[in-house]
Amino acid sequence: MVQIERLVDLKPIHQRQAAALALWRWRAPIFAFELDAEWGVDQSVLESLFRLAASPAGEQSDRAYRRVIAELCTAPLFTSEVDPDTVQLFQLETIGNLLTFGELLDKAGVDDVERVVEASAGLATYLDGLVEGSFYSHPAEEAHRQYLADLADQASEGYFASRHFAVEAACHGALEVLPDSAGLLDSSTGRELLALCEDFGEELVTTMQWLRTTGH
């Protein structure tokens, strides 16, 4: 469930911001759980990447993002075999998406933006599968069921995929009013969108904590 048509209709600068917001939805799970020490990844490096992605587009921020990516790629994570648990898998996928965002800085076109946005949506769908496949009932199962029931025919997937789609739609609909020269952190609308993504991320964290507790 990704609004590709609406994404294509956005200006390139707003497409980039859409990708940054897609990253931001998975920011909370990165920092809510301790990273595996053997990965050798400094959380402050990841925090820099998130903030640079949300910064105004331009040569200065692009150069800074590439520099931090280069630093990140020196971590042992990129030269060793990794056997992640469920939570770590989400962390690794998000790190991979931060790398993909770096690739779109060097290319004109929407393809890499779509990759970032689709990866975010795909993780939400994957989380639905984990919840549905669990032997335990999710603590918010009734609330999730009611949310989907309220959507009626609009819901074609699980709870988190549907929530992701709603957050994505709200973000894409609001991006058109943002000034081209502003970053997401530089305007009240941009900060509201980041907060919306952050709230979704906190909900993801709660379910990941439940998955880890139940031994999924």
Side-chain angles (χ1 to χ4, degrees):
M1 297 173 72
V2 182
Q3 298 190 334
I4 296 299
E5 290 184 5
R6 175 173 283 189
L7 184 63
V8 171
D9 290 339
L10 293 173
K11 294 180 180 179
I13 181 60
H14 295 148
Q15 291 174 354
R16 171 183 170 137
Q17 290 170 333
L21 288 164
L23 290 174
W24 210 270
R25 284 167 220 144
W26 296 91
R27 179 177 175 274
I30 279 278
F31 299 117
F33 303 96
E34 187 173 351
L35 298 173
D36 190 321
E38 293 185 1
W39 295 355
V41 175
D42 190 334
Q43 283 195 339
S44 66
V45 171
L46 300 180
E47 180 61 48
S48 293
L49 290 174
F50 280 106
R51 295 192 66 83
L52 287 167
S55 298
E59 184 56 36
Q60 182 176 354
S61 62
D62 289 358
R63 188 165 54 248
Y65 195 96
R66 295 187 192 98
R67 185 168 59 249
V68 178
I69 283 290
E71 179 181 352
L72 171 64
C73 289
T74 64
L77 169 65
F78 296 93
T79 57
S80 60
E81 293 186 7
V82 177
D83 183 21
D85 64 16
T86 298
V87 169
Q88 291 172 334
L89 177 63
F90 284 101
Q91 291 177 320
L92 291 172
E93 290 294 328
T94 302
I95 290 172
N97 224 16
L98 287 166
L99 296 175
T100 302
F101 186 90
E103 294 174 10
L104 71 84
L105 302 180
D106 299 317
K107 302 175 184 176
V110 73
D111 289 350
D112 286 303
V113 173
E114 289 180 359
R115 286 174 59 201
V116 173
V117 175
E118 288 176 342
S120 178
L123 287 176
T125 299
Y126 180 66
L127 183 58
D128 278 327
L130 294 177
V131 172
E132 292 166 6
S134 174
F135 293 116
Y136 301 89
S137 295
H138 191 282
E141 183 177 3
E142 288 302 320
H144 291 181
R145 185 179 292 116
Q146 186 60 52
Y147 178 88
L148 293 173
D150 291 342
L151 291 177
D153 294 338
Q154 300 178 51
S156 61
E157 297 194 43
Y159 172 77
F160 287 106
S162 297
R163 280 276 292 122
H164 185 281
F165 185 80
V167 172
E168 180 183 83
C171 290
H172 291 186
L175 282 174
E176 295 174 353
V177 305
L178 288 180
D180 291 358
S181 60
L184 292 167
L185 295 165
D186 302 321
S187 69
S188 58
T189 298
R191 289 190 294 271
E192 287 172 4
L193 296 179
L194 290 172
L196 180 65
C197 293
E198 191 82 14
D199 288 343
F200 177 69
E202 292 296 342
E203 193 172 357
L204 299 172
V205 167
T206 299
T207 290
M208 289 180 193
Q209 289 172 331
W210 170 76
L211 286 171
R212 178 166 276 184
T213 300
T214 57
H216 197 291

